[in-house]
């Protein structure tokens, strides 16, 4: 299905641009070449992911990147013909006329980055396949749920008392060196995985009440982040559930009829919850501000946000779409780079100093870990133009593929738990493309992977390991 969607998306938005843009022949040629290259590259990656053969894991890794490029670059380019003045960079960083003028070149350069990162992934020499079949074993649902509840309490305490991983707040340093940084990293993607482990195990067992309770626990993790101003986790959580339902539809061997009934119920819940979240999205920042300005309860914060004229005048759909930073941010960065507003070294780009400078200089000090960003391609362009985009994204793609190879091949972790973590890893890859700090991203990977290994070993034991343990236990025999 994604292969057909890839074709439709590019044909539709190219037709929109030709019909409504008024671009010159040269600009339309850039657009045509860009759309052809992106479409063909995406098609090749999606075909690779759909084949059950050696190397399909690299194709699966690119699915998130392909869908991300549809939304953040191809669709935003086409929709700019109608709503360019609604993009977050207008008029603070670039005016509407300049944005529309630079979009063809920005898309062409973005295509170069996209082709580079996908090519590096699918050409990675250490190829591997992903076996979607779920293997039998012992799932410790209750134990992991109780452990998660303890983890949620600790997470809330660390955020409320020490402001760890709270957007816009300077954390209070713990007395042990580096502990605050490590805990802050664990409260992100590692906690997202941990919050979904009981849900994954409940889906594996097929117990509907367990699925319902573990779903509420996973949403509680997203709710804690939402309480402290981070809206991303709730969106990641919805993505995780969809990914898990797909995995179980493909890989579950026993109890498929029961799972289908459970899946239909979850889809209905997700649909209703998703509509509610989209409708309320424009108020979420104002709920956060209400807590900063003295609101003592969620009800008070919601009441204060609902009375905001600024929030009421906004569109939740536009606000949500603006969070997916892409071609509009890159276009603004291109214009600022041409005006020589950046002075960038490689260390500034890799360490995140460039991101912080962009935030301080142009976004009024907004925290780049949770706010709008110049995007990863914008960072490479500011550093070294086209050559830096090609080199940087080739390295990025190779890094993405190498880490996933480690996840899939590393000995000791249960196969089912590897599958449970893969959606989290793919979200991390897309987040870096949106515009993250490369060094913090690598540190997050270094901290998260051992945690995932430990939780995976604790949560699930495969049948083969159980059988091996039984064989190695001494047998008691009755003496004659």
């Amino acid at each position: 299905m994604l292969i057909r969607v890839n074709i439709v998306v590019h044909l539709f938005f190219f037709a929109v641009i030709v019909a409504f843009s008024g671009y010159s022949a040269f600009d339309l040629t850039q657009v045509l070449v860009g759309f052809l290259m992106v479409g063909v590259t995406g098609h090749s990656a999606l075909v690779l992911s759909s084949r059950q053969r050696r190397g399909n894991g690299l194709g699966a890794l690119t699915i998130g990147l392909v869908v991300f490029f549809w939304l953040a670059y191809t669709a935003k380019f086409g929709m700019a013909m109608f709503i360019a003045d609604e993009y977050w960079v207008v008029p603070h960083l670039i005016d509407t006329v300049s944005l529309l003028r630079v979009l063809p070149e920005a898309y062409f350069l973005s295509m170069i980055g996209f082709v580079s990162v996908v090519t590096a992934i699918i050409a990675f020499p250490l190829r591997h396949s992903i076996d979607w079949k779920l293997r039998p074993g012992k799932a410790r649902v209750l134990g992991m749920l109780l452990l998660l509840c303890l983890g949620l309490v600790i997470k809330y305490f660390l955020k409320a008392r020490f402001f760890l991983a709270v957007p816009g707040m300077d954390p209070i340093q713990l007395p042990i060196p580096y502990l605050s940084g490590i805990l802050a990293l664990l409260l992100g993607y590692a906690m997202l995985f941990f919050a979904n482990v009981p849900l994954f195990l409940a889906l594996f067992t097929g117990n509907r009440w367990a699925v319902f309770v573990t779903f509420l626990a996973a949403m509680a993790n997203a709710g804690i982040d939402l309480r402290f101003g981070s809206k991303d986790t709730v969106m990641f959580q919805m993505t995780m559930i969809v990914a898990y339902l797909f995995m179980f539809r493909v890989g579950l061997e026993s109890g498929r009829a029961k799972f289908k009934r459970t899946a239909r119920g979850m889809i209905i819940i997700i649909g209703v919850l998703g509509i509610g979240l989209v409708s309320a999205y424009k108020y979420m920042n104002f709920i956060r501000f209400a807590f900063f300005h003295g609101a003592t309860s969620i009800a008070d914060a919601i009441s204060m946000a609902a009375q905001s004229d600024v929030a009421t005048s906004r569109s939740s759909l536009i606000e949500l779409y603006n969070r997916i930073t892409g071609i509009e941010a890159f276009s603004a960065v291109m214009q600022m780079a041409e005006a020589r507003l950046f002075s960038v070294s490689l260390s500034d780009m890799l360490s995140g100093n460039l991101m912080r400078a962009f935030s301080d200089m142009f976004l009024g000090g907004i925290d780049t870990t949770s706010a709008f960003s110049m995007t990863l391609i914008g960072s490479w362009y500011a550093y070294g133009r086209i050559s830096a985009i090609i080199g940087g994204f080739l390295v990025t793609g190779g890094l993405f593929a190498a880490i996933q190879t480690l996840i899939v091949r590393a000995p000791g972790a249960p196969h089912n738990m590897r599958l449970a973590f893969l959606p989290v890893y793919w979200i991390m890859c897309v987040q870096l493309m949106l515009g993250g700090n490369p060094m913090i991203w690598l540190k997050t990977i270094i901290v998260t992977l051992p945690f995932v290994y430990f939780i995976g070993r604790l949560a699930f034991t495969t049948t083969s390991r159980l059988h091996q343990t039984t064989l190695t236990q001494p047998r008691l025999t009755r003496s004659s």
Side-chain angles (χ1 to χ4, degrees):
M1 184 182 75
L2 289 177
I3 295 175
R4 291 193 294 270
V5 172
N6 182 61
I7 297 172
V8 171
V9 163
H10 289 91
L11 288 177
F12 175 77
F13 283 110
F14 180 72
V16 167
I17 293 168
V18 171
F20 297 100
S21 67
Y23 287 136
S24 65
F26 176 75
D27 287 336
L28 289 177
T29 301
Q30 284 191 99
V31 175
L32 177 61
V33 173
F35 270 61
L36 283 174
M37 291 298 296
V38 170
V40 170
T41 304
H43 179 84
S44 300
L46 293 172
V47 168
L48 179 61
S49 69
S50 65
R51 293 177 179 174
Q52 294 298 323
R53 63 180 178 84
R54 187 169 179 266
N56 77 324
L58 300 176
L61 172 59
T62 61
I63 290 177
L65 300 178
V66 170
V67 175
F68 160 70
F69 205 86
W70 291 346
L71 296 173
Y73 289 86
T74 302
K76 275 199 170 183
F77 187 8
M79 293 177 66
M81 304 302 106
F82 312 103
I83 61 169
D85 56 343
E86 298 288 340
Y87 290 159
W88 69 274
V89 296
V90 179
H92 187 57
L93 301 181
I94 189 172
D95 61 84
T96 305
V97 175
S98 298
L99 174 62
L100 291 171
R101 174 177 52 80
V102 79
L103 279 175
E105 182 182 2
Y107 191 84
F108 185 83
L109 294 177
S110 302
M111 173 272 296
I112 293 175
F114 174 76
V115 171
S116 298
V117 71
V118 173
T119 300
I121 291 173
I122 62 180
F124 190 71
L126 300 178
R127 308 185 72 80
H128 61 271
S129 61
I130 298 177
D131 181 6
W132 296 108
K133 185 180 297 182
L134 294 163
R135 297 180 184 169
K138 181 181 179 181
R140 300 181 177 91
V141 183
L142 180 59
M144 295 310 299
L145 179 60
L146 294 175
L147 195 59
L148 172 60
C149 291
L150 176 61
L152 292 175
V153 172
I154 295 174
K155 174 176 179 174
Y156 190 94
F157 171 76
L158 291 175
K159 283 181 172 288
R161 175 65 179 84
F162 298 100
F163 306 121
L164 296 185
V166 175
M169 299 293 290
D170 293 327
I172 298 175
Q173 296 298 316
L174 296 170
I176 302 175
Y178 305 111
L179 182 59
S180 295
I182 293 174
L183 289 176
L185 295 177
L186 287 174
L187 291 179
Y189 297 106
M191 194 66 191
L192 177 65
F193 167 74
F194 186 25
N196 281 277
V197 166
L199 175 60
F200 187 94
L201 298 177
L203 288 169
F204 180 80
T205 62
N207 187 306
R208 293 181 186 175
W209 279 107
V211 170
F212 178 71
V213 173
T214 54
F215 168 77
L216 292 180
M219 292 304 299
N221 175 63
I224 291 174
D225 283 341
L226 193 60
R227 159 64 179 83
F228 289 97
S230 178
K231 303 184 291 293
D232 292 339
T233 307
V234 68
M235 301 303 170
F236 295 161
Q237 183 58 52
M238 307 295 280
T239 304
M240 291 286 294
I241 294 173
V242 173
Y244 283 171
L245 292 180
F246 169 79
M247 285 183 179
F248 278 86
R249 184 180 69 85
V250 173
L252 194 64
E253 291 189 320
S254 61
R256 295 180 64 87
K258 186 176 181 180
F259 167 74
K260 288 180 180 180
R261 292 192 294 270
T262 303
R264 283 194 291 268
M266 291 195 69
I267 290 172
I268 294 173
I269 293 174
I270 293 172
V272 173
L273 186 59
I275 293 172
L277 288 172
V278 170
S279 301
Y281 192 83
K282 63 182 179 180
Y283 296 104
M284 290 183 181
N285 266 340
F286 295 89
I287 293 174
R288 171 191 171 193
F289 298 150
F291 280 114
F292 286 161
H293 290 87
T296 57
S297 68
I298 294 179
D300 290 340
I302 292 175
S303 177
M304 293 172 65
Q307 295 174 13
S308 170
D309 294 334
V310 177
T312 305
S313 64
R314 294 180 176 180
S315 165
S316 283
L317 284 174
I318 295 298
E319 290 292 306
L320 181 60
Y321 201 30
N322 270 329
R323 293 290 297 185
I324 308 175
T325 50
I327 193 170
E328 79 292 359
F330 180 44
S331 299
V333 170
M334 285 177 58
Q335 179 170 276
M336 290 185 287
E338 294 302 324
R340 301 185 182 279
L341 298 181
F342 299 113
S343 178
V344 185
S345 66
L346 181 60
S347 62
D348 289 334
M349 190 269 157
L350 294 177
S351 66
N353 288 335
L354 175 59
M355 293 284 185
R356 286 188 288 273
F358 178 78
S359 171
D360 294 339
M361 292 173 61
F362 304 110
L363 300 181
I366 298 175
D367 182 10
T368 54
T369 62
S370 61
F372 305 116
S373 172
M374 64 193 304
T375 71
L376 186 64
I377 192 171
S379 300
W380 282 116
Y381 182 85
Y383 166 66
R385 304 301 191 269
I386 297 177
S387 59
I389 291 175
I390 296 174
F393 276 89
L394 286 174
V395 172
T396 301
L399 185 63
F400 285 170
I403 294 173
Q404 178 168 293
T405 303
L406 175 64
I407 294 169
V408 172
R409 287 187 172 185
H415 170 74
N416 292 4
M417 291 294 96
R418 299 176 196 270
L419 296 182
F421 177 66
L422 281 178
V424 180
Y425 176 64
W426 295 338
I427 289 172
M428 294 180 71
C429 294
V430 171
Q431 274 296 97
L432 182 61
M433 298 290 290
L434 282 169
N437 183 321
M439 293 307 297
I440 290 182
W441 190 87
L442 282 174
K443 291 177 182 178
T444 303
I445 287 288
I446 293 171
V447 170
T448 300
L449 290 184
F451 179 83
V452 168
Y453 180 85
F454 171 75
I455 293 297
R457 297 269 297 188
L458 194 63
F460 193 87
T461 304
T462 60
T463 300
S464 59
R465 284 175 56 196
L466 286 172
H467 181 63
Q468 184 179 11
T469 303
T470 303
L471 290 177
T472 56
Q473 289 177 347
R475 294 184 178 182
L476 297 176
T477 58
R478 187 173 56 185
S479 60
S480 56

